[in-house]
Amino acid sequence: MNPTNILTELKRRNVYRAAIAYGVVAWFLTQLTTQVFPFFEVPNSAVRFVVIALAVGFPIAMLLPWVYEFTPEGVVRTEDLDPVQARSVQRRSGRLLDFIIIGALLLVIAMLIVGRLPSYTQTGESISQKSIAVLPFENLSRDPDNAYFATGIQDEILTRLAKIGALKVISHTSTQQYAARRGNLPEIAHQLGVANILEGSVQKAADQVHINVQLIRAATGEHLWAESYDRKLETIFGVEAEVATAVADAL
């Protein structure tokens, strides 16, 4: 068949319109799932499934307008229609596809406009309940030089939490600004984009270390978990693993 005739036939059978309509609707559905699924904590595998399903469905969607026509009597093979009737049906199908394209484009434009609104970008993003920020630990020792020890404890706990794949853990750099001021925990959590705050204190005297740790749900101020540890200096590094495990269990 002449390539020109093939292109003409594709246009006559509304395959081009179907491709545009499918592409716009698929893009809208992809954006919708990537924004809505995280809000309900749906796994990323579900988003990947939607994207793969849409990709696999594209050639099928292109085959349908080539082979079939939607008539008042139902779905009929194009080859079974009278040429005059076929042209009339294809014009109606073309108008329907135009409406679908316009409607989908309006939804896409509305989504883009809403996504750029300041109020939406600040409050519309969902915060995972398995997100946490480890605030700098307070040094309760009389010797101010022991502040480095409290920082080391915080860093080690943060590192162990970051290894837990199910948790979203904010970096040390982002939380360091709250070392001198605790402030309002809900406000700190909002600024960091987390649902939970881990805070604590360290007191060191000779070879004895006392560590107090609290896991708090920032929105309500509820204590999800709290524990104190008394250790000798040479056994202190086992505490970080205990804290990380307890936090993971609590979340």
Side-chain angles (χ1 to χ4, degrees), residues 165-182:
L167 294 181
K168 172 189 173 184
V169 184
I170 301 301
S171 69
H172 172 86
T173 304
S174 299
T175 60
Q176 193 57 29
Q177 59 181 306
Y178 302 103
R181 53 184 180 88
R182 277 293 185 263

Side-chain angles (χ1 to χ4, degrees), residues 100-126:
I100 293 175
I101 292 171
I102 293 171
L105 285 174
L106 290 175
L107 288 174
V108 169
I109 292 171
M111 177 180 287
L112 293 174
I113 292 175
V114 172
R116 291 180 179 274
L117 293 176
S119 59
Y120 180 85
T121 55
Q122 290 176 7
T123 61
E125 297 178 355
S126 62

